Amino acid sequence: MSLNCNEINKILEELDLEGSFIQDIIQPTFDQVAFYTYKTGGKTVMVCTAQDSTRINETRRKITKNEKPLRFMELLKSRIKGARINKIEQIGLERVIRMELSHTGENFLMYIRLWNNAANILLCDENNRILDAMFRRPNKDEMVGEIFPVPVADESKFAQIDRWPVRTFDEIREEYEALPQSKYESWESLSFNAKVDLFYSEHARSLSRAALLEKAEKWYITNHTKRLAALENLEKKLDSFKNAEMYRHQGDLILSFGHLMDGASKALECEDYESGKIVQIMVDPKKSAQENANDYYSRYKKAVSGSEELKNDIELAKEQIELLDKQYEQIKNEPNPIKIEQLLRKDSTPKQQQKKAHPGLDYTVNGWYILVGRDANENDELLRHHVRGDDMWLHTRDYPGGYVFIKHRKDKTVPLDILLDAGNLAVYFSKARGSGKTDLYYTHVKYLRRAKNGPKGLVLPTHEKNLCITPDPERLKRLERQKNS
């Protein structure tokens, strides 16, 4: 249940915020903002816009900071941190608070609408033009640049003011008196703000936690189902590679019985010297026996290579499912709904909406930071904006592929193990991936020169050294686990 109009007036009367300064602003969740104010003493004013617990009140509880700063908080900090509250009042009995602010020669108006299903906080200039809102609602014209339609006080409501009594919250008195702090402050001595904070911190939190756990269950079931389906697909694909040895054996048979090919038939019929049975092998009549055998050997190599990669992917998929299970257990065991909301938001944000500081991939290994570009665009962007002269650059010789960079650490020499990690990544993200032993060159970024009129990202190295890499699946598997999300 949200605050009614008389309760809002009582809270504002106790807060006595006129003449206070806003020292700081914290937004722990999308629907809560805390204002740290100071007048003769400090007060933390919490504004909550969540359904069924819409309110404004002083709180003495510690406000949990969000892992990443939220948009609306950053806007408020940039415009009204340090501002003076010149006036604060409810507009009539409309459950809309109007706050007049001044800061460094500018005047602002903040509207806090405490309606249960349409709560919002809007910061406007002195002409009611919206600078930003906690919730941007285009269908209500509550967007940046729009004029906020200030509610008009309904005079008829004052004749019915007794319809909305101020609650006593006696239903939580027994719970409070069982708390340790009740020894220092009796129930009768508590302010209305303190009782509101107690009531919503306990009852609204439990309701909020139940709703969040229901949301978490849906999130878990959806993601768990998707990951299980992906694991099953990988296992089916691996199963299809079990005939890899058959491809090699068929290539051997074509070489052994290639003299039987007549240049017209699409199948070679011969005796399998292992089983003693007559078999038919599909061939391309336009190609020689050697070429047809090479086609089967190529299929064999791809199947073997693909099989190794799939085993790695299957292991990672299983680890991701285990991690998901642990995350869900962590959410279920978390008593604080704010923390639950933050955990859910972190894990449910779509990857395409997660901002990256740079293109490509990055890995952190024993304190060393490795960047990987996977194509010409990422290579060029990394070179232009994300690496410096003393950073190490690696690239495969004679094969196109991604650039790998090892970020420089002051007074540190790149260890061989880190160089081998970066080398394996350079081979893996190049056309040399399935070629076995591969040569790379490496040098510092300051020794790279852009090729004049060359393709995007193309560089010519000097002072380069050679590194011979034999791809190590176990090393790549370990690196995949150390990839930064």
Side-chain angles (χ1 to χ4, degrees), residues 81-250:
K81 184 178 178 180
R84 185 180 190 273
I85 303 173
N86 298 318
K87 189 175 182 180
I88 178 170
E89 63 180 358
Q90 181 179 187
I91 299 174
L93 299 176
E94 302 303 316
R95 291 182 295 153
V96 178
I97 297 169
R98 183 178 188 269
M99 192 184 299
E100 296 179 10
L101 306 164
S102 59
H103 183 47
T104 61
E106 282 190 276
N107 295 320
F108 301 94
L109 294 170
M110 190 188 310
Y111 295 93
I112 302 171
R113 188 173 61 217
L114 299 175
W115 298 352
N116 191 42
N117 293 313
N120 207 351
I121 304 175
L122 302 102
L123 182 67
C124 304
D125 63 17
E126 55 188 333
N127 298 313
N128 288 317
R129 188 173 296 280
I130 298 172
L131 301 174
D132 210 342
M134 174 180 269
F135 302 107
R136 295 172 177 172
R137 296 184 174 121
N139 58 330
K140 293 182 178 292
D141 293 329
E142 293 177 4
M143 296 290 291
V144 177
E146 300 289 343
I147 299 297
F148 177 64
V150 181
V152 178
D154 184 351
E155 298 296 331
S156 66
K157 287 185 178 180
F158 288 97
Q160 309 171 49
I161 196 166
D162 293 336
R163 286 179 54 193
W164 303 287
V166 175
R167 285 172 287 173
T168 61
F169 299 110
D170 286 333
E171 64 268 36
I172 63 168
R173 178 172 182 165
E174 188 176 335
E175 292 177 40
Y176 172 72
E177 290 177 343
L179 298 173
Q181 59 262 39
S182 64
K183 296 178 182 178
Y184 308 101
E185 272 189 290
S186 67
W187 176 258
E188 289 78 9
S189 66
L190 290 178
S191 66
F192 183 67
N193 270 269
K195 291 177 181 178
V196 168
D197 192 43
L198 278 168
F199 177 81
Y200 284 103
S201 295
E202 299 304 324
H203 291 258
R205 279 165 70 95
S206 62
L207 290 171
S208 173
R209 184 175 183 276
L212 285 168
L213 287 177
E214 185 178 341
K215 183 179 177 182
E217 184 180 15
K218 291 178 182 177
W219 163 80
Y220 171 73
I221 291 172
T222 300
N223 283 277
H224 196 263
T225 303
K226 284 181 181 177
R227 293 188 183 185
L228 276 179
L231 177 60
E232 287 175 9
N233 286 335
L234 289 171
E235 288 174 338
K236 286 179 183 177
K237 198 170 181 181
L238 178 63
D239 193 57
S240 70
F241 282 152
K242 287 182 178 178
N243 57 0
E245 284 297 327
M246 180 188 72
Y247 291 135
R248 185 172 65 84
H249 182 56
Q250 287 175 325

Side-chain angles (χ1 to χ4, degrees), residues 368-369 390-392 406-412 444:
W368 291 89
Y369 192 50
D390 286 330
D391 297 337
M392 190 71 74
I406 305 172
K407 296 294 289 181
H408 172 69
R409 292 174 67 184
K410 190 175 180 180
D411 301 326
K412 298 281 186 181
H444 288 103

Side-chain angles (χ1 to χ4, degrees), residues 48 66 126 159 250 362 377 482:
C48 178
N66 197 56
E126 55 188 333
Q250 287 175 325
D362 59 297
N377 290 327
Q482 292 173 284

Side-chain angles (χ1 to χ4, degrees), residues 276-315:
K277 296 179 180 178
I278 301 298
V279 296
Q280 284 190 335
I281 304 171
M282 301 304 296
V283 294
D284 185 344
K286 296 179 181 178
K287 292 182 178 180
S288 66
Q290 183 67 54
E291 289 171 330
N292 274 287
N294 287 339
D295 288 343
Y296 277 90
Y297 291 146
S298 178
R299 288 187 203 176
Y300 165 73
K301 287 181 181 178
K302 285 182 180 179
V304 170
S305 175
S307 179
E308 289 302 317
E309 289 179 21
L310 279 170
K311 287 177 183 176
N312 183 34
D313 291 344
I314 287 169
E315 189 172 329

